[in-house]
Amino acid sequence: MAAKTDKLLSILKLQPVVPVLIVDDVASAVPLARALVAGGLKAIEITMRTPAALDAIRAVADEVEGAVPGAGTILNPAHFDAAVKAGSQFIVSPGTTRSLLDAARGSDVALLPGAATASEVMTLREEGYDVLKFFPAEQAGGAAYLKSLSSPLAGTLFCPTGGISLKNAKDYLSLPNVVCVGGSWVAPKELVEKGDWAGITKLAAEAAALK
């Protein structure tokens, strides 16, 4: 478990913001990922919310130099296995189930499991997880709530995701228990549909410069 945690941390520490992508058209996956990598965002979470997701992960893994593709919105073991086979180097879930933890235990690919309450965090810590996704961040109490967990749950690190933007990202990144944040603002749908890859690279560079 320690080795997988170290591997996950090495990915999450590549950049302050992990792009959270919903890819509708697999044809956009490679140029989108290249634009993000060019802006300094190498770790990329492609969510399993569309039929194109697995093909998008596969294309990014095969064709985008420097990219570290991961899969998000993983809800069950079938999702987990399919995402790993497609080339995901890390797995992200919005919450956690026993069957998902069992699937993760049998894989070399690290899981970033979601938690929103102190009890959920404590349960995952008992399973050996001390790097977690805090989701949905803004709706679950925001940076102030996460800060309040830092002392009683010391030693746990979070990647907050949900409602985070360029405006409030620093509120989270300034916390001692936050390793990075997840956000979709670096790849807005309108820029993807227009193929404005230069615009996305600019947004990625702004995000990569956050401290």
Side-chain angles (χ1 to χ4, degrees):
M1 190 67 179
K4 282 198 282 189
T5 299
D6 289 344
K7 185 177 179 181
L8 179 60
L9 276 174
S10 71
I11 293 171
L12 298 180
K13 288 180 177 180
L14 287 172
Q15 62 221 36
V17 180
V18 175
V20 179
L21 310 180
I22 298 174
V23 179
D24 293 306
D25 180 3
V26 68
S28 67
V30 167
L32 172 56
R34 284 178 176 153
L36 292 167
V37 171
L41 303 183
K42 296 180 179 180
I44 299 167
E45 176 187 335
I46 297 173
T47 61
M48 297 277 280
R49 301 184 195 181
T50 71
L54 286 173
D55 286 337
I57 292 166
R58 194 173 292 111
V60 171
D62 291 344
E63 300 178 40
V64 184
E65 186 176 352
V68 182
T73 321
I74 297 297
L75 305 179
N76 52 55
H79 272 176
F80 191 110
D81 292 341
V84 169
K85 287 176 182 175
S88 297
Q89 295 186 38
F90 63 102
I91 299 291
V92 186
S93 62
T96 317
T97 64
R98 175 58 53 190
S99 62
L100 194 57
L101 290 177
D102 289 343
R105 193 174 295 111
S107 175
D108 291 332
V109 178
L111 170 67
L112 179 67
T117 68
S119 293
E120 290 171 354
V121 173
M122 290 168 64
T123 299
L124 284 165
R125 281 171 58 128
E126 287 184 354
E127 294 290 333
Y129 289 90
D130 51 21
V131 183
L132 311 175
K133 171 177 176 169
F134 175 52
F135 177 83
E138 281 292 282
Q139 296 82 354
Y145 176 84
L146 201 51
K147 183 178 181 180
S148 72
L149 296 182
S150 62
S151 181
L153 296 173
T156 308
L157 292 174
F158 296 92
C159 173
T161 305
I164 298 178
S165 67
L166 187 63
K167 292 181 180 178
N168 63 4
K170 283 190 175 182
D171 296 339
Y172 291 92
L173 292 169
S174 65
L175 299 178
N177 55 346
V178 168
V179 61
C180 63
V181 301
S184 58
W185 84 88
V186 293
K189 189 173 183 179
E190 59 271 18
L191 294 189
V192 175
E193 288 177 346
K194 289 193 297 184
D196 186 356
W197 311 124
I200 289 173
T201 293
K202 182 180 178 183
L203 291 174
E206 289 176 351
L210 290 171
K211 298 296 183 184

